[in-house]
DNA sequence: TGTACATCAGTGAACGCGCGTTCACTGATGTAC
DNA sequence: TGTACATCAGTGAACGCGCGTTCACTGATGTAC
């Protein structure tokens, strides 16, 4: 392909990829339309042939991230071992993903930046991940996609504790270096282990 | 006090208060130095008599938020009831705080916006909250302030599950309306209840 | 009690910046005849 | 096979914007003598 030709090919895909790279390396603040365009070698206004706005570009990046989540749940469903073993594996993989892609992880879960409600395909991606985890747990027949706290406390708790641990790690609120894989696994084991066993034993010890 | 006098009094406190109001009502993006100054009735450059930079102002706002966390832990320590009852109460109060002050909550826990490491008083405030929870649990003699995942799995898990639930609620990832106090309590009960009981019973049921 | 002066906390104008987005345009490509 | 033309995806210049921050300044206040 000639350097200065029009119709460069898959500019849309290139933009998303460049955006992901910038996000990972320099964070969300550096991810501007102009910057992404520059990186791809295109003029800023060209971006608007592929995305309606900056936010739509960000939504596309986030949606890309959810594909990774999907794969995690795939492995949960198809994996071997008893349920608690699978859950422990899920926990490790989940935190490893967050540790390796902190800025992407943040973007995926902050409606502050990308309003889910405005990007149905994104909301659906998030729903699917949670829904499949829930169905694995409660059986397909029992899932009604409302994600009610009362109806699915177990799935909700797994999601909450993993999300909380991931963010505390990413934000540096706990002494776990995201670049140290062993430490990340240790964190995963600690929280999912506690959740599986429950606090009752130590609490009654206290009483 | 005269309207146009210099030396207006507690401009610093006013700035923090105005910043909190803007944050709550319009979100972080609206919280600019110029905007806060305008709200207080002062020229933008006057802000720099009280804060070195925008980030320092934000750090002051976040530090203010931590005082609320302190009070939660106070009540945990001094409250009545057995440990698990106290923990359940803490969970409710924690989520109610997050529900009532979502933008402040986000600011407090995102190093993206305010780099903790650069604001020691802020890092200390965060440490204190976690440390006191841990000490309540393990006894004062056993706390060494490293917040290691391996050493304090119980306190860490409580923190993680509450943080995760709070953020999912705030970001609209779960079907809980933050303005509905009953629903927020329900969420708190669900996650802390699951954590206390543990997943073992349902997991072995599955196996 | 009155005066000189240092200090403090404001003012007002200006800086350079990168941003998201719009617009009229134009070159390359694919298709119909 | 050659030509006319619609479409698509680029270009380039410009828009208005609010931002964080700096600077020389000045009015009000408190203190020392």
């Amino acid at each position: 392909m000639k350097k200065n030709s029009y119709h460069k090919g898959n500019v849309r895909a290139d933009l998303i990829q460049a955006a992901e790279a910038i996000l990972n390396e320099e964070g969300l603040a550096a991810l501007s339309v102009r910057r992404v365009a520059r990186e791809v070698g295109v003029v800023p206004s060209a971006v608007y042939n592929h995305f309606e706005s900056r936010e739509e570009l960000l939504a596309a990046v986030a949606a890309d991230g959810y594909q990774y989540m999907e794969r995690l749940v795939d492995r949960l469903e198809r994996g071997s071992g008893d349920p608690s073993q699978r859950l422990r594996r899920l926990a490790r993989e989940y935190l490893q993903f967050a540790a390796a892609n902190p800025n992407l992880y943040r973007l995926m879960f902050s409606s502050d930046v990308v309003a889910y409600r405005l990007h149905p395909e994104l909301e659906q991606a998030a729903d699917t991940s949670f829904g499949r985890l829930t169905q694995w747990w409660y059986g397909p027949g029992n899932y009604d996609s409302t994600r009610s706290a009362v109806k699915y406390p177990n799935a909700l708790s797994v999601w909450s504790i993993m999300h909380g641990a991931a963010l505390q790690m990413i934000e540096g609120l706990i002494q776990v270096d995201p670049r140290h894989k062993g430490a990340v696994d240790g964190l995963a084991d600690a929280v999912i282990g506690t959740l599986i066993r429950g606090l009752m034993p130590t609490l009654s010890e206290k009483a």
Side-chain angles (χ1 to χ4, degrees), chain A:
Chain A
M1 183 166 311
K2 276 165 292 172
K3 189 70 201 316
N4 288 329
S5 65
Y6 289 70
H7 299 94
K8 294 211 163 65
N10 48 346
V11 172
R12 190 191 142 95
D14 288 355
L15 287 169
I16 295 177
Q17 198 185 323
E20 280 183 25
I22 295 166
L23 183 64
N24 259 332
E25 286 154 29
E26 300 174 53
L28 183 63
L31 211 180
S32 68
V33 171
R34 299 175 104 104
R35 176 69 196 285
V36 175
R38 205 182 316 138
E39 217 75 31
V40 170
V42 114
V43 105
S45 54
V47 173
Y48 292 87
N49 286 321
H50 303 280
F51 301 95
E52 286 226 319
S53 62
R54 174 179 184 258
E55 189 171 329
E56 252 212 357
L57 170 58
L58 293 183
V61 171
D64 228 42
Y66 274 106
Q67 294 190 357
Y68 194 92
M69 293 281 115
E70 288 293 311
R71 267 172 270 141
L72 287 194
V73 184
D74 279 349
R75 285 199 286 275
L76 175 73
E77 288 169 348
R78 295 206 235 97
S80 60
D82 65 35
S84 89
Q85 278 174 328
R86 293 196 204 181
L87 210 48
R88 286 174 195 274
R89 210 155 46 219
L90 176 73
R92 284 186 171 201
E93 290 179 341
Y94 189 91
L95 285 199
Q96 292 293 353
F97 170 67
N101 309 276
N103 291 321
L104 176 58
Y105 187 89
R106 268 198 278 245
L107 175 66
M108 287 167 62
F109 295 109
S110 72
S111 63
D112 203 21
V113 183
V114 178
Y116 290 88
R117 311 277 163 223
L118 305 180
H119 301 277
E121 85 285 4
L122 190 54
E123 189 166 27
Q124 200 192 325
D127 272 348
T128 304
S129 301
F130 185 86
R132 285 176 63 191
L133 176 66
T134 310
Q135 288 181 54
W136 173 73
W137 210 297
Y138 296 94
N142 295 316
Y143 182 60
D144 69 2
S145 89
T146 55
R147 287 194 285 176
S148 152
V150 182
K151 285 181 93 163
Y152 311 111
N154 293 332
L156 176 76
S157 295
V158 170
W159 215 250
S160 290
I161 207 168
M162 296 317 302
H163 188 47
L167 280 168
Q168 288 194 79
M169 173 182 66
I170 287 173
E171 306 295 357
L173 291 164
I174 47 183
Q175 215 92 355
V176 171
D177 180 354
R179 290 160 308 181
H180 181 347
K181 283 196 191 305
V184 174
D185 279 349
L187 174 61
D189 294 349
V191 295
I192 202 71
T194 305
L195 181 60
I196 290 173
R197 276 190 306 276
L199 295 177
M200 217 52 228
T202 36
L203 279 174
S204 29
E205 210 174 280
K206 258 189 85 65

